[in-house]
């Protein structure tokens, strides 16, 4: 109701196994046009299904160690990826069968990176990278991959321009239509990112250009804060083999040269050769924080009243929970 939806269709769970039949019924029922339908699946969130099959052909993302435990974890993730892939195919087929494909824009996206250490709940690229696929009539057809630095904040102004509606002047995102129509190669010189709370409090801000990433941490935390890392085989492998990532203090400032170091392994914040870049990135981030009236400028951000926040020294999200 508060979000403006006229109808909310509730399934037994939020899994695509239970939600997809409702979506297909909606489309086969020839919905009155124009319509907007939003579908959210829990896949590919953890917990993953159990996987005990072969792992020889499993490909591990480059930011993770290629070891048997991680391969098995990735294989379990792939079960859910295949499930979502099949679901999207069924929804697209239903759009075609209902005669809606040529006047419907289909958007597939996600809310954060995959639930592995060094990804979700961090400001490293594997935590920031999300899917963004659009299929529809006109400029949205043809099957192209566009290499450009964009944000999900760009979706709203893209849709407004596509519909011929004005874009509010205070919107931070930018329309992607010039990119999609081949009229340009980029829409942003820099993108900004933030994390304040996940399960636990971990205030960080970042700015990313095509060449550099600058991350500022505002409270003493390890590289990965354990309660903010989803439980699983990979998390446990790091606890046994590289426990320092959960214990050693994270530098308050991190600077990465993404051209030479795309995995963000070498912090250049203390390198005098990058002093000018560091100063420029720091100033850019501080200016954005002032423009957006970031509450971190006033110090610690208190939890909202009635919230439940995990202590920073917990290992899992449901340990040492404090109610405010």
């Amino acid at each position: 109701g508060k979000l403006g939806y006229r109808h909310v269709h509730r399934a037994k769970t939020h899994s695509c196994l239970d939600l997809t039949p409702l979506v297909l019924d909606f489309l086969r029922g020839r919905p009155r046009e124009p319509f907007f339908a939003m579908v959210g699946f829990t896949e590919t969130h953890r917990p993953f299904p159990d996987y005990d099959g072969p792992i020889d052909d499993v490909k591990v993302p480059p930011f993770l160690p290629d070891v048997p435990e991680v391969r098995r974890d990735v294989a379990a993730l792939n079960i859910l990826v295949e499930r979502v892939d099949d679901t999207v195919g069924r929804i697209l087929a239903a759009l075609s069968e209902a005669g809606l494909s040529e006047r419907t824009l289909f958007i597939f996206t996600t809310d954060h990176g995959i639930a592995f250490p060094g990804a979700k709940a961090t400001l490293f690229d594997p935590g920031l990278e999300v899917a963004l696929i659009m299929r529809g009539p006109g400029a949205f057809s043809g099957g192209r991959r566009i290499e450009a630095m964009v944000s999900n904040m760009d979706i709203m102004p893209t849709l407004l321009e596509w519909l011929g509606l004005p874009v509010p002047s205070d919107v931070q995102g930018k329309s992607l239509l010039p990119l999609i129509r081949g009229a340009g190669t980029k829409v942003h010189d820099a993108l900004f990112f933030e994390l304040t709370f996940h399960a636990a409090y971990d205030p960080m801000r970042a700015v990313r250009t095509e060449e550099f990433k600058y991350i500022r941490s505002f409270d003493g935390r390890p590289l990965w804060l354990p309660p903010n890392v989803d439980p699983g085989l990979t998390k446990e492998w790091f606890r046994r083999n590289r426990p320092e990532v959960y214990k050693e203090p994270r530098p308050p400032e991190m600077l990465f040269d993404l051209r030479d170091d795309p995995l963000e392994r070498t912090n250049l914040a203390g390198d005098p050769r990058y002093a000018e870049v560091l100063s420029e990135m720091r100033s850019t981030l501080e200016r954005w924080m002032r423009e957006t009236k970031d509450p971190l400028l006033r110090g610690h951000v208190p939890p909202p009243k009635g919230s439940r926040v995990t202590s920073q020294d917990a290992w899992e999200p449901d340990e040492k929970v404090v109610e405010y």
Side-chain angles (χ1 to χ4, degrees), residues 168-229:
S169 59
D170 59 348
V171 169
Q172 293 178 22
K174 295 182 179 180
S175 173
L176 301 179
L177 281 184
L179 281 178
I180 296 168
R181 290 171 172 161
T185 58
K186 69 176 184 177
V187 294
H188 294 284
D189 292 322
L191 291 176
F192 300 91
F193 305 95
E194 61 182 36
L195 175 69
T196 304
F197 288 94
H198 184 47
Y201 182 59
D202 190 7
M204 288 186 286
R205 301 291 185 264
V207 57
R208 189 197 195 282
T209 66
E210 292 180 352
E211 298 177 336
F212 297 100
K213 163 87 71 66
Y214 170 74
I215 302 175
R216 172 82 187 275
S217 296
F218 289 84
D219 212 336
R221 296 290 187 274
L223 187 66
W224 303 330
L225 187 61
N228 284 353
V229 179

Side-chain angles (χ1 to χ4, degrees), residues 58-81:
V58 176
K59 294 182 178 180
V60 174
F63 70 95
L64 293 171
D66 190 352
V67 296
E69 294 92 333
V70 178
R71 283 194 177 204
R72 196 162 298 283
D73 216 7
V74 171
L77 166 67
N78 287 342
I79 295 174
L80 299 184
V81 172

Side-chain angles (χ1 to χ4, degrees), residues 297-308:
L297 293 171
R298 300 190 297 273
H300 177 88
V301 178
K305 186 177 180 181
S307 61
R308 302 175 75 250

Side-chain angles (χ1 to χ4, degrees), residues 37-53:
M38 182 172 179
V39 186
F41 303 129
T42 51
E43 291 91 354
T44 55
H45 281 85
R46 290 184 186 267
F48 298 158
D50 292 331
Y51 177 81
D52 57 4

Side-chain angles (χ1 to χ4, degrees), residues 59-274:
K59 294 182 178 180
V60 174
F63 70 95
L64 293 171
D66 190 352
V67 296
E69 294 92 333
V70 178
R71 283 194 177 204
R72 196 162 298 283
D73 216 7
V74 171
L77 166 67
N78 287 342
I79 295 174
L80 299 184
V81 172
E82 291 178 6
R83 186 185 297 173
V84 173
D85 184 55
D86 176 70
T87 289
V88 170
R90 294 171 67 193
I91 292 173
L92 291 174
L95 278 171
S96 297
E97 291 165 8
L100 295 167
S101 290
E102 292 307 311
R103 55 184 184 275
T104 303
L105 178 60
F106 178 92
I107 301 175
F108 176 86
T109 191
T110 52
D111 53 348
H112 50 67
I114 59 176
F116 280 79
K120 178 184 172 182
T122 77
L123 298 187
F124 299 118
D125 273 4
L128 304 176
E129 293 170 337
V130 300
L132 180 57
I133 304 172
M134 298 181 180
R135 195 192 86 162
F140 295 95
S141 63
R144 290 166 295 139
R145 177 171 180 168
I146 301 173
E147 295 289 345
M149 198 168 59
V150 303
S151 164
N152 273 0
M153 289 193 299
D154 300 326
I155 293 176
M156 186 185 82
T158 301
L159 295 180
L160 290 176
E161 183 180 350
W162 189 54
L163 295 169
L165 300 173
V167 179
S169 59
D170 59 348
V171 169
Q172 293 178 22
K174 295 182 179 180
S175 173
L176 301 179
L177 281 184
L179 281 178
I180 296 168
R181 290 171 172 161
T185 58
K186 69 176 184 177
V187 294
H188 294 284
D189 292 322
L191 291 176
F192 300 91
F193 305 95
E194 61 182 36
L195 175 69
T196 304
F197 288 94
H198 184 47
Y201 182 59
D202 190 7
M204 288 186 286
R205 301 291 185 264
V207 57
R208 189 197 195 282
T209 66
E210 292 180 352
E211 298 177 336
F212 297 100
K213 163 87 71 66
Y214 170 74
I215 302 175
R216 172 82 187 275
S217 296
F218 289 84
D219 212 336
R221 296 290 187 274
L223 187 66
W224 303 330
L225 187 61
N228 284 353
V229 179
D230 288 73
L233 294 172
T234 305
K235 180 177 182 177
E236 291 300 325
W237 184 90
F238 275 99
R239 175 153 70 167
R240 294 192 308 271
N241 296 278
R242 298 181 191 170
E244 66 275 6
V245 297
Y246 299 126
K247 297 178 180 179
E248 294 180 2
R250 182 192 307 151
E253 291 185 303
M254 291 186 284
L255 177 69
F256 302 103
D257 186 333
L258 301 174
R259 300 163 299 182
D260 298 329
D261 181 27
L263 297 182
E264 300 166 289
R265 295 289 193 252
T266 304
N267 181 15
L268 301 171
D271 190 328
R273 295 174 297 175
Y274 288 84

